[in-house]
Amino acid sequence: MRNIVLLISGGGSNMAAIVAAAQREDWPATLGARIAGVISNRADAGGLKLAHEAGLPTATIDHLSYAKREDFDSALSQQIAQWDVGSTSPALVLLAGFMRIVSPDFVALHKGRLLNIHPSLLPAFPGLHTHQRAIDAGCRFAGATVHEVTAELDHGPIWGQAVVPVLPGDSADTLAARVLTQEHVLYPRVVKAFLRQPFC
Ligand code: GRF
């Protein structure tokens, strides 16, 4: 059974969408994959409550407790490994609204098994404030991207994108809400495609 570990920082709606798809579509039976746990770097992340309600193991690893990014990332990897004991293949790690930049060592350790969702049509608008930047640039379309994580922030091979229109009068909030509904469709779809490839 392939483990999936989700890393979150906030509301966890993408995590919840993946968990719901896994339950609805019986991923253990259909894909040989199960959600092994959810890690948050914030104790107050709303997504932790959703994970509890879904009956999933959770862990809070507060980045503020670590002097160095590498030490925080090691703690993340230790928790992932703990959930992976007895598994024949290493876990797929999904960043889902995880608001920390991971270190090159973390990327190397989970290479080829590490995905992120970013709320823009990469390579446009890596980084923060993507929706306001899309509006300010006069974009007619915006969206979200699921990509493999590499050492360079918001780069890496693109696995899927969802596109929405930017409507007249949009604020960053209205555009973000429109994009988010599509993220919830996109991310589970890409995870399934990712798990279906041989030797991932
Ligand atoms: C999403 O828009 C995601 O793309 C971005 O942060 C938001 C997180 O939402 N990185 P949630 O925590 O999944 O609800």
Side-chain angles (χ1 to χ4, degrees):
M1 184 67 62
R2 187 68 180 275
N3 281 329
I4 300 171
V5 176
L6 289 131
L7 272 55
I8 66 168
S9 297
S13 66
N14 277 292
M15 177 272 299
I18 292 167
V19 169
Q23 287 175 345
R24 192 174 58 241
E25 298 165 5
D26 196 4
W27 285 7
T30 57
L31 288 167
R34 62 170 200 133
I35 313 288
V38 176
I39 304 174
S40 173
N41 65 307
R42 297 179 55 121
D44 62 354
L48 284 174
K49 186 165 175 285
L50 297 178
H52 283 138
E53 285 167 3
L56 292 169
T58 63
T60 299
I61 301 176
D62 185 349
H63 60 280
L64 297 174
S65 305
Y66 297 85
K68 288 194 295 180
R69 184 186 305 279
E70 288 74 14
D71 295 341
F72 168 66
D73 286 358
S74 291
L76 294 176
S77 292
Q78 278 168 30
Q79 179 60 70
I80 294 165
Q82 199 172 312
W83 281 329
D84 238 3
V85 169
S87 182
T88 48
S89 46
L92 174 61
V93 180
L94 305 178
L95 310 185
F98 185 62
M99 300 304 285
R100 306 298 304 166
I101 296 173
V102 291
S103 62
D105 283 354
F106 185 88
V107 172
L109 185 62
H110 303 282
K111 187 173 162 44
R113 299 175 287 99
L114 183 58
L115 296 178
N116 178 47
I117 188 158
H118 180 76
S120 80
L121 294 172
L122 292 173
F125 311 124
L128 297 173
H129 310 299
T130 53
H131 305 106
Q132 189 60 54
R133 287 158 66 201
I135 292 168
D136 292 347
C139 295
R140 299 302 178 96
F141 293 94
T145 303
V146 176
H147 64 99
E148 277 183 58
V149 177
T150 58
E152 194 176 355
L153 179 68
D154 296 333
H155 281 67
I158 290 173
W159 270 77
Q161 292 185 306
V163 180
V164 303
V166 180
L167 299 178
D170 257 341
S171 65
D173 286 347
T174 60
L175 180 55
R178 192 175 309 119
V179 171
L180 192 61
T181 61
Q182 295 308 308
E183 292 183 40
H184 299 161
V185 179
L186 173 69
Y187 212 172
R189 181 160 60 75
V190 169
V191 171
K192 282 193 285 181
F194 200 83
L195 287 166
R196 285 194 181 114
Q197 34 157 22
F199 313 118
C200 79

